[in-house]
Amino acid sequence: MRKAVLILVLCALLIAGCGSPTPASPSVPTQASTLPPLASPTLDVVTPEYLGRGFLKAWQEENTTEMYSLLAPAQREQLTAAAFAEAYQTPLHTTTTISVTALPEALNIDNDKAWIDFREVWHTALFGDLQAHNRLSMVRIGAQWWIEWDAGTVWPDLVDGSRFGIEYQIPPRANIYDTTGAGLAVPATIVTVGVIPGRIEDEGLLLDTLYKVVGLTYDEIQQRYAGQPADWYIPISDITSEESLAYDEMLTLPGIERRERTGRLYTLDGVASHVVGWISPIPAETYTEYRNLGYRGDEYVGISGLEAWGEEILAGKNGARLYLVGADGTYVGGMAERQAERGRAITTTIDRDLQVQAEEALGERRGAVVAIDVATGAIRALASGPGFDSNVFVRPAENWRLQATLSDPNRPLLNRATLGQYPAGSIFKIVTIAAGLGPGAMQAETHFSCPGYWDGLGVANRKFCWLESGHGDITLKDALTASCNVTFYEVGSRLDAVDNEALPTYGKAFGLGAVTGLAELPEAAGLVPDPDWKWATYRESWATGDTVNLAIGQGFLLVTPLQIARMVAAVANGGTLYQPYLVDRVGGADGTPQIMAGPTVVGNLPVSAAHLAIIQEALLGVTTNTEIGTAWHRFAGLDIPVAGKTGTAEPAQKGAEPHSWFVGYFPADNPEIAMVVLVENAGEGSTVAAPMFRQILEGYNGLPITPLPTPPAPAE
């Protein structure tokens, strides 16, 4: 009988297959059985099967507290719970293990000894599945069974002080380029300029030198090293290797020391920062997530913008070599290896030169500029103001600048181009005239009378035109050029009488009230109010006044600059709504660029070619009609024809200055780019946004830049 049982056990071991060497069998057992897959038994320490199963189940659940409680009492006296937990956690961490599967295969009992032969599978982030056959030993003390544990229970090779070792191969982060190949985010040598207080010979000269190099005041520099040990190196600020070379002679002053490291550079002080984004050390709350992806844990990862969207593309994949180290630190043998995969460069649709002009025009103002290729939906510039320098996130020595950015009440990190939501003001009249020509059954030459006010909702609810004297007799087409409020109040009222959902429906068909589908950056949906929305939100019925307010872009309407830019691009290109995009291509693994999706049509404006031509002609008049155009004086003398629309939008905050809008496309006779300029609480559209639009256009085309008007001239 004993011989037969031994044969059964040996067969079970052979069936288990290969892996790391399994410990030698103990004395011949008196009982053996093959176990089914691990279930979820109720633990019974009287039975070795259930004791072993419970221990392995707890391991799969990473419950080292439960596992420790099952150890023999004498072992628990010699081994702390923390040391026991570390015996599991350390090798699992080293091998990048995400989870463990423990599969019991055979139970063996020999008087007061028992063991379960099991197969363990470590599911790792870097090396796939690591498998081995192992043995879990148990001992009976009195009437109770306990785990008889040693380090080899974790993994068969981890005996006699052996441990796992790992060497990472982390590929360099790939670059981000503009559409011409100019760098936006590139590798660079970062030079930290520091001070060793005990070596200072001429503090005045040192302070003057650092002031000129890093731009900090004397007090700010002194505060960094004051009271510090004389022989300590105190970082002051980071500069580029080019700057270090340019100031090389000055920075050899006693007391100044430079230290280099490889880092990431956001060119031109972080141009297109809201598009490119930034990298930072892995946040604590996502550490496990990145570890499970094969990261070592101390890398810089994308936090915002394309750096975050393209993390997998830019970072590539870590490589690593896993090996066994003996107790004396000597190399025992390799276990697994994975080759690193290089990151791939991202080429954006951004035109860096146009982006620079947009950012310079915005300056420190709160606002946004978006420029779109009218034929594809490719974004050529996307700026949000005030901007920020992404380099503050990768230069630890400049933490003071980072803190200033984070605490700025103007919220420079907010991407107003895609997340800012504003009333459209008179920009929305483009939609209103389209609806008036459509379901409103009006004509371009339909006449209206503007005495400077409108009493369509009753004298008590009188509404006024921006031109106090009124526009007199005016046609619908000219009313768009002149931005006559009274005309559009009347158009809104007539549309409401025909169908109170007509104007909201047109607004949505022009791409408003929903995200544009931009894949690379988060965006807000905005709001086009309609009768159903008002009832659901306020439990109030839609009134004629709601349509009248919507007709001039006020009321509950909210739009993003990106939505408006896409809308105007569709007006310019003949009515096609494209999905905006920022990534043109990524580098292929074999060096061949991988072209991304490219132009994607998502809709068409509900406007006939004839009606669209009327709108286009009216928009050209805004910049060329010297009698009624609201921005003709802002574009006089410009050789590049522009069609556009001014907007002065009243914000929700009572007493606040209006938002200044100008949207347009150029060249008007053969449109290439549609662009929107928005400046928060800046005044009238023709006073601020329109002149800035011209400045961007001039700077991009190498023309002399026209100064902004002062004092403001009267306009819409």
Side-chain angles (χ1 to χ4, degrees):
M1 175 65 182
R2 290 168 61 87
K3 182 177 180 180
V5 171
L6 177 58
I7 291 173
L8 287 173
V9 173
L10 291 174
C11 287
L13 292 176
L14 289 172
I15 291 170
C18 15
S20 295
T22 303
S25 299
S27 58
V28 179
T30 57
Q31 178 183 350
S33 61
T34 301
L35 296 176
L38 185 66
S40 300
T42 302
L43 188 61
D44 180 358
V45 295
V46 177
T47 307
E49 175 183 352
Y50 285 99
L51 171 65
R53 284 179 173 276
F55 185 88
L56 296 177
K57 178 175 180 292
W59 185 15
Q60 291 187 151
E61 296 171 351
E62 301 180 24
N63 188 349
T64 56
T65 301
E66 176 68 17
M67 296 164 68
Y68 181 75
S69 71
L70 303 180
L71 301 190
Q75 286 192 306
R76 279 183 275 128
E77 290 178 2
Q78 299 174 357
L79 181 68
T80 66
F84 175 79
E86 185 177 353
Y88 280 87
Q89 293 165 356
T90 297
L92 293 175
H93 183 274
T94 301
T95 57
T96 73
T97 296
I98 300 170
S99 64
V100 171
T101 300
L103 303 170
E105 295 178 329
L107 170 67
N108 305 270
I109 302 175
D110 185 7
N111 298 320
D112 291 337
K113 298 284 186 178
W115 61 94
I116 289 180
D117 292 323
F118 67 96
R119 178 164 58 93
E120 53 185 313
V121 184
W122 293 18
H123 309 288
T124 74
L126 283 177
F127 307 108
D129 288 350
L130 301 177
Q131 301 188 43
H133 289 276
N134 209 339
R135 177 165 292 179
L136 177 64
S137 298
M138 294 167 282
V139 62
R140 180 163 52 192
I141 303 174
Q144 299 239 9
W145 284 92
W146 302 94
I147 299 296
E148 194 170 42
W149 184 87
D150 61 37
T153 307
V154 180
W155 187 268
D157 296 318
L158 299 182
V159 293
D160 301 325
S162 295
R163 59 182 174 81
F164 291 125
I166 187 171
E167 290 180 0
Y168 281 86
Q169 294 89 45
I170 299 178
R173 194 172 185 87
N175 298 346
I176 301 176
Y177 299 107
D178 89 333
T179 189
T180 68
L184 299 175
V186 297
T189 298
I190 306 300
V191 180
T192 299
V193 179
V195 168
I196 300 178
R199 298 181 187 174
I200 298 174
E201 295 179 2
D202 186 335
E203 186 173 29
L205 180 58
L206 178 139
L207 292 173
D208 187 61
T209 297
L210 293 180
Y211 163 73
K212 293 175 180 177
V213 174
V214 303
L216 297 175
T217 66
Y218 288 12
D219 288 342
E220 289 171 331
I221 297 168
Q222 281 183 314
Q223 288 172 7
R224 280 165 169 69
Y225 66 80
Q228 300 296 331
D231 59 345
W232 278 22
Y233 169 79
I234 311 300
I236 300 298
S237 187
D238 290 328
I239 60 176
T240 65
S241 58
E242 291 80 8
E243 291 170 326
S244 177
L245 183 61
Y247 293 113
D248 185 64
E249 187 174 344
M250 296 172 62
L251 293 172
T252 57
L253 197 67
I256 296 178
E257 182 173 309
R258 287 170 284 177
R259 296 184 178 181
E260 295 185 350
R261 61 181 173 82
T262 301
R264 194 156 179 83
L265 174 68
Y266 297 105
T267 61
L268 303 180
D269 297 326
V271 67
S273 55
H274 292 90
V275 173
V276 176
W278 67 86
I279 58 173
S280 284
I282 294 174
E285 63 272 18
T286 58
Y287 177 82
T288 300
E289 176 184 341
Y290 279 101
R291 282 284 303 178
N292 290 347
L293 292 173
Y295 286 71
R296 186 169 59 192
D298 59 352
E299 299 93 335
Y300 276 63
V301 297
I303 302 297
S304 175
L306 291 177
E307 291 278 32
W309 174 86
E311 173 64 26
E312 183 177 349
I313 297 169
L314 295 165
K317 293 183 179 180
N318 287 349
R321 185 171 64 91
L322 184 67
Y323 53 90
L324 197 65
V325 180
D328 58 356
T330 58
Y331 175 82
V332 175
M335 295 195 62
E337 185 171 1
R338 188 178 89 168
Q339 296 298 316
E341 297 180 19
R342 293 183 64 86
R344 295 174 291 158
I346 290 176
T347 298
T348 71
T349 60
I350 293 293
D351 183 325
R352 194 172 75 171
D353 291 341
L354 182 58
Q355 180 75 28
V356 167
Q357 296 302 323
E359 293 183 10
E360 288 184 354
L362 270 177
E364 294 302 309
R365 300 177 183 89
R366 298 191 313 275
V369 176
V370 181
I372 292 183
D373 186 321
V374 302
T376 64
I379 297 176
R380 299 305 182 198
L382 190 149
S384 178
F388 64 95
D389 184 353
S390 296
N391 290 296
V392 300
F393 291 95
V394 294
R395 297 180 180 176
E398 297 189 1
N399 185 61
W400 61 277
R401 284 182 176 153
L402 173 58
Q403 295 307 315
T405 300
L406 296 176
S407 60
D408 189 331
N410 286 319
R411 303 173 66 195
L413 299 184
L414 172 64
N415 188 348
R416 290 172 165 85
T418 63
L419 295 173
Q421 300 182 92
Y422 309 91
S426 293
I427 302 299
F428 192 79
K429 290 173 183 174
I430 297 172
V431 178
T432 306
I433 190 174
L437 293 168
M442 302 173 199
Q443 305 298 318
E445 300 305 317
T446 299
H447 284 260
F448 296 84
S449 178
C450 171
Y453 60 88
W454 183 73
D455 289 338
L457 298 177
V459 176
N461 295 305
R462 173 172 288 181
K463 292 181 174 293
F464 297 91
C465 189
W466 67 269
L467 185 63
E468 292 183 8
S469 61
H471 291 93
D473 182 71
I474 191 169
T475 65
L476 178 59
K477 187 188 78 172
D478 285 348
L480 181 60
T481 299
S483 200
C484 175
N485 287 345
V486 167
T487 296
F488 283 90
Y489 291 143
E490 181 63 24
V491 172
S493 178
R494 295 183 188 181
L495 283 170
D496 188 77
V498 173
D499 180 358
N500 64 4
E501 292 192 2
L503 189 53
T505 299
Y506 260 65
K508 295 171 185 176
F510 271 67
L512 307 179
V515 295
T516 67
L518 178 66
E520 299 91 344
L521 299 177
E523 59 172 327
L527 171 65
V528 176
D530 60 22
D532 288 342
W533 172 86
K534 188 178 182 185
W535 179 257
T537 305
Y538 296 106
R539 284 295 185 266
E540 294 179 4
S541 298
W542 188 262
T544 300
D546 292 316
T547 305
V548 169
N549 284 334
L550 181 59
I552 63 162
Q554 293 291 162
F556 301 110
L557 177 70
L558 292 173
V559 299
T560 70
L562 176 62
Q563 290 173 332
I564 294 297
R566 181 176 70 153
M567 179 188 83
V568 175
V571 171
N573 68 28
T576 303
L577 280 170
Y578 287 100
Q579 178 176 307
Y581 64 101
L582 277 164
V583 173
D584 180 52
R585 60 190 182 275
V586 301
D590 59 355
T592 303
Q594 174 189 350
I595 306 300
M596 302 305 284
T600 302
V601 176
V602 294
N604 292 283
L605 301 184
V607 185
S608 69
H611 290 169
L612 194 57
I614 293 168
I615 295 172
Q616 292 168 341
E617 186 177 344
L619 295 179
L620 181 60
V622 171
T623 64
T624 60
N625 190 321
T626 58
E627 294 182 358
I628 61 173
T630 56
W632 73 266
H633 53 310
R634 301 306 180 202
F635 292 89
L638 183 64
D639 291 335
I640 303 171
V642 174
K645 181 71 188 77
T646 55
T648 304
E650 298 297 328
Q653 304 88 341
K654 289 185 178 179
E657 286 291 309
H659 302 314
S660 179
W661 286 95
F662 188 83
V663 300
Y665 53 87
F666 55 88
D669 52 356
N670 185 23
E672 296 176 2
I673 301 293
M675 188 163 67
V676 55
V677 176
L678 162 77
V679 185
E680 292 182 8
N681 308 118
E684 297 171 339
S686 67
T687 303
V688 180
M692 287 171 59
F693 187 106
R694 175 171 181 156
Q695 286 187 327
I696 296 168
L697 188 54
E698 289 172 332
Y700 180 60
N701 286 279
L703 303 173
I705 295 179
T706 304
L708 294 180
T710 181
E716 176 203 357

